[in-house]
């Protein structure tokens, strides 16, 4: 049994997953596992998707590459998909949202996304694709949605997640007695 929980931080590109993970890693000591970075470092990419202009991750390779670490507990898994991770690995799924799409539009266009990719991501956010994926793949009670639009949201969201972590640890310690 892990003594520290594993948390998925997911959401449409640009919603704020990285900023949340970085702040949470600082505040809580959980380790930031950026799937994008790990997939690059550990050669888990399958092919280049010309249409999307992005690399496709080989999910089996990725899971094999991170399993030993993640099962120790204490990871913040940062990725724009969540249904590939086994349920037994995960204690909390946080879906970061940006319902005000003009904000998301500005963030993605400043990244230089081309029009098609930009629109695809905005649609995904409008339709709540990641939120639905999370609720289908995990028990509803471990899925939470938090908005990240304005200054101050990151602090308050991280404070909420940190509080949840403390409760998880307390509960876990009691169960272990
Ligand atoms: P992701 O990792 O989901 O792709 P990110 O963490 O890189 O997203 O954030 C994208 C940009 O948006 C980045 O410049 C930080 C900014 N951002 C995110 N949430 C914010 C908030 N609540 N207030 C101000 N800026 C925010």
């Amino acid at each position: 049994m892990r003594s520290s929980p594993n948390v998925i931080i997911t959401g449409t590109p640009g919603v704020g997953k990285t900023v949340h993970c970085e702040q949470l890693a600082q505040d809580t000591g959980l380790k930031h596992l950026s799937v994008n970075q790990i997939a690059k470092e550990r050669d888990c990419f399958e092919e280049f998707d010309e249409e999307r202009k992005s690399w496709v991750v080989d999910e089996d390779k990725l899971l094999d590459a991170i399993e030993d670490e993640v099962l120790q507990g204490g990871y913040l898994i940062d990725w724009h998909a969540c249904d590939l991770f086994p349920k037994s690995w995960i204690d909390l799924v946080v879906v970061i949202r940006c319902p005000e799409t003009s904000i998301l539009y500005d963030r993605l266009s400043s990244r230089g996304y081309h029009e098609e990719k930009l629109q695809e991501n905005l649609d995904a956010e409008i339709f709540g694709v990641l939120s639905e994926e999370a609720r289908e793949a995990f028990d509803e009670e471990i899925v939470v949605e938090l908005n990240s639009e304005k200054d101050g949201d990151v602090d308050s969201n991280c404070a909420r997640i940190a509080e949840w972590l403390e409760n998880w640890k307390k509960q876990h310690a009691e169960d272990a007695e």
Side-chain angles (χ1 to χ4, degrees), residues 56-120:
V56 179
V57 167
D58 179 327
E59 295 184 355
D60 290 332
K61 252 192 193 173
L62 172 77
L63 293 178
D64 279 349
I66 63 173
E67 178 171 14
D68 288 349
E69 283 148 279
V70 172
L71 289 180
Q72 307 283 316
Y75 281 90
L76 298 161
I77 302 175
D78 169 0
W79 188 229
H80 59 249
C82 63
D83 59 356
L84 63 157
F85 302 105
K87 265 173 99 168
S88 61
W89 290 17
I90 305 302
D91 302 292
L92 180 70
V93 182
V94 179
V95 185
I96 310 284
R97 299 297 308 264
C98 185
E100 180 52 63
T101 43
S102 64
I103 299 177
L104 190 59
Y105 181 95
D106 290 345
R107 291 181 192 163
L108 293 178
S109 58
S110 73
R111 269 185 193 176
Y113 275 28
H114 61 87
E115 196 54 38
E116 207 178 325
K117 191 166 172 179
L118 217 152
Q119 199 53 53
E120 191 179 282

Side-chain angles (χ1 to χ4, degrees), residues 12-19 78 107 111 148-151 153-154:
T12 311
V15 287
K17 297 182 290 297
T18 310
V19 285
D78 169 0
R107 291 181 192 163
R111 269 185 193 176
S148 182
E149 294 180 330
K150 50 191 188 309
D151 290 343
D153 286 349
V154 179

